[in-house]
Amino acid sequence: MMKRLAIVITHPIQYYAPLFRLLAGEPDIEVKVFYTWSQAKEKVKDKTFGKDIQWDIPLLNGYNYEFVKNVSKSPGSNKWSGIENPELIKKIEEFRPGAILVFGWNMKSHFKVMKYFKGKVPVWFRGDSTLLDETKGLKTLARRLVLKYVYKNIDKAFYVGRESKKYYLAHGLKEAELVFAPHAIDNDRFIDSEGESDRLAKTWRKELGYKNEDTVILFAGKFEQKKNPLLLVNAIKSLQEKKKSNLKLLLLGNGPLEAEIEAEIKNCSYIKKLPFQNQSKMPVVYRVADIFCLPSKGPGETWGLAVNEAMACFKPVLVSDKVGCAPDLIENNNVGEIFESGNLEDLKIKLRDMCQTNLDLTGKNAKEIITEWNFNKISEAIKSELQK
């Protein structure tokens, strides 16, 4: 029997489009994706990057979708009033879904969908929030009460990892209401079985002036406080001052910390900075480096999908304990190291330790681990729930 699944999400995202295609390919599932940020149909205005982003990989082929008109006067996915779709509920009703999967609740229209359909159609939720940044106090208690109310409007939550599961349990959901659906990327695109990205990366690495004996650490992401790239800059500078080495740092991205970073690395020949690179280039970018580092201090580094990408490119990873994926992907897996967030000395120690190991072997372990975190498992989890 054909089951209909309505998916509510703000805009096309490279981390979800492959999943939608996979679900649409199931013979007994009819999928329709309702995009609620209609202004993002062609490109997304990313305030942190400070530019309009238009991905250079296809995100709208292979599945049924509709952009529902967003009437918000200040459209965007980062605030409650940024998503307002007066026609959304009616359009979902016309589709007659057997279940509704909502991505993100903290936008007016998304929460209205959850509240309206609760008790009428199974309402499912996908999010990757954690308790990693939670502090004690009245604000936390108040937020917990609000979130318990929010999650009373869903029937199931698809959690992405250990920290995500803890979050849902803390906000009133029961074990029976939780389904594991691992955070994933398009592993095949990053693994590059034909070796083209490897060849391009070797050429690019030479063009950047790196030698075979250099150990290149990569930071790729937004230059923002949350991701804390300046801590990594300071760690590399400190290690170089104490002992001249072949340790290099490659910073790739844009963002509000850009001027500060440029000032810090002005006289550091061993640190290079490159601008934002689009998605088709990222499998090459990771291969230029020897180690990928995500030194986030939060709040809000709920997972860190760049870690998945780096691991799929056979790269060892070094992350802070504020990165949501650390317990699932890195802890006890021999794929890299976890350091204490904000602790410069611990970051330096972990960097030195990693540089003294067999990075090729660690990278192979990383690739083997990440192949288990794939879209097929998310699809199977959703399909299993639909068939109940």
Side-chain angles (χ1 to χ4, degrees):
M1 180 179 174
M2 180 71 74
K3 296 289 184 75
R4 287 194 176 106
L5 174 65
I7 298 174
V8 178
I9 189 169
T10 53
H11 60 289
I13 298 171
Q14 71 271 27
Y15 297 122
Y16 294 125
L19 171 63
F20 300 160
R21 284 193 286 267
L22 194 60
L23 287 168
E26 293 286 346
D28 53 353
I29 299 176
E30 183 180 349
V31 172
K32 184 168 183 180
V33 179
F34 295 88
Y35 286 117
T36 57
W37 185 4
S38 55
Q39 293 86 350
K41 186 174 184 179
E42 301 297 334
K43 56 189 176 183
V44 176
K45 190 170 187 62
D46 194 300
K47 292 182 179 179
T48 310
F49 268 131
K51 59 173 66 182
D52 290 339
I53 303 296
Q54 185 171 11
W55 301 119
D56 63 353
I57 57 173
L59 300 180
L60 291 172
N61 62 345
Y63 61 93
N64 187 19
Y65 66 89
E66 179 178 354
F67 281 87
V68 183
K69 186 177 181 180
N70 179 26
V71 300
S72 171
K73 293 180 180 179
S74 55
S77 60
N78 60 345
K79 55 186 174 181
W80 175 261
S81 60
I83 301 293
E84 285 190 68
N85 314 95
E87 299 178 332
L88 180 59
I89 287 174
K90 179 184 176 184
K91 286 181 177 292
I92 293 174
E93 284 183 319
E94 290 172 350
F95 180 61
R96 302 193 312 278
I100 302 167
L101 175 58
V102 180
F103 286 73
W105 66 266
N106 57 335
M107 291 148 284
K108 188 182 292 185
S109 284
H110 289 214
F111 184 66
K112 280 185 175 180
V113 166
M114 292 161 57
K115 198 168 175 58
Y116 178 85
F117 285 102
K118 173 65 175 175
K120 301 175 183 177
V121 177
V123 177
W124 300 340
F125 185 80
R126 175 76 164 180
D128 58 7
S129 295
T130 73
L131 302 175
L132 287 172
D133 303 308
E134 193 172 77
T135 56
K136 293 181 180 180
L138 291 176
K139 284 186 177 180
T140 296
L141 290 174
R143 180 172 173 78
R144 183 149 293 174
L145 289 173
V146 169
L147 289 170
K148 283 184 177 181
Y149 168 72
V150 167
Y151 293 125
K152 281 184 178 180
N153 292 286
I154 67 173
D155 298 289
K156 291 283 174 86
F158 292 90
Y159 68 94
V160 303
R162 284 185 239 172
E163 297 296 337
S164 171
K165 185 177 184 181
K166 289 178 187 176
Y167 167 87
Y168 287 121
L169 290 172
H171 292 105
L173 278 82
K174 310 300 183 188
E175 283 276 354
E177 298 169 322
L178 300 178
V179 181
F180 178 51
H183 242 330
I185 59 155
D186 189 351
N187 284 332
D188 290 341
R189 187 166 69 85
F190 284 89
I191 288 171
D192 181 41
S193 57
E194 295 183 1
E196 178 63 16
S197 293
D198 271 326
R199 290 188 289 273
L200 292 171
K202 286 176 182 177
T203 300
W204 198 10
R205 186 176 166 110
K206 287 181 181 178
E207 290 173 352
L208 289 168
Y210 295 132
K211 300 175 183 177
N212 291 336
E213 60 268 26
D214 288 336
T215 302
V216 180
I217 315 300
L218 171 68
F219 171 89
K222 295 177 181 178
F223 296 160
E224 59 180 340
Q225 292 289 346
K226 176 178 81 173
K227 295 190 181 293
N228 207 12
L230 281 166
L231 183 73
L232 182 56
V233 169
N234 290 329
I236 298 295
K237 288 176 69 174
S238 178
L239 289 170
Q240 283 282 358
E241 286 170 5
K242 290 181 179 179
K243 181 182 178 182
K244 296 295 181 182
S245 70
N246 61 350
L247 199 60
K248 312 292 182 184
L249 175 59
L250 177 60
L251 300 163
L252 187 142
N254 296 100
L257 294 179
E258 197 160 354
E260 192 173 346
I261 287 173
E262 287 177 350
E264 282 290 330
I265 68 175
K266 188 174 182 180
N267 298 313
C268 303
S269 60
Y270 48 87
I271 303 179
K272 297 181 185 295
K273 186 177 79 67
L274 294 173
F276 163 85
Q277 302 291 312
N278 217 315
Q279 277 296 297
S280 65
K281 197 72 174 286
M282 290 311 294
V284 182
V285 169
Y286 290 112
R287 284 172 168 81
V288 169
D290 299 287
I291 296 171
F292 175 73
C293 182
L294 185 56
S296 301
K297 63 179 180 181
E301 193 65 82
T302 53
W303 185 262
L305 281 162
V307 176
N308 295 56
E309 294 175 346
M311 290 174 66
C313 294
F314 298 78
K315 296 301 160 186
V317 287
L318 172 60
V319 305
S320 82
D321 56 9
K322 289 291 187 180
V323 176
C325 70
D328 298 278
L329 299 185
I330 300 158
E331 193 174 285
N332 301 320
N333 280 337
N334 193 25
V335 302
E337 295 280 359
I338 303 169
F339 73 94
E340 182 184 359
S341 173
N343 188 327
L344 179 65
E345 291 306 313
D346 193 34
L347 172 55
K348 287 160 58 178
I349 289 168
K350 298 296 168 55
L351 266 173
R352 283 196 299 260
D353 289 347
M354 286 187 70
C355 290
Q356 292 168 6
T357 63
N358 185 331
L359 294 177
D360 287 339
L361 179 60
T362 308
K364 288 177 183 177
N365 292 338
K367 180 259 181 181
E368 291 303 315
I369 292 293
I370 209 62
T371 53
E372 296 300 312
W373 293 72
N374 56 62
F375 288 126
N376 285 324
K377 290 191 175 179
I378 310 175
S379 176
E380 286 302 317
I382 292 172
K383 184 178 178 181
S384 176
E385 292 301 315
L386 268 177
Q387 291 173 339
K388 289 182 180 179

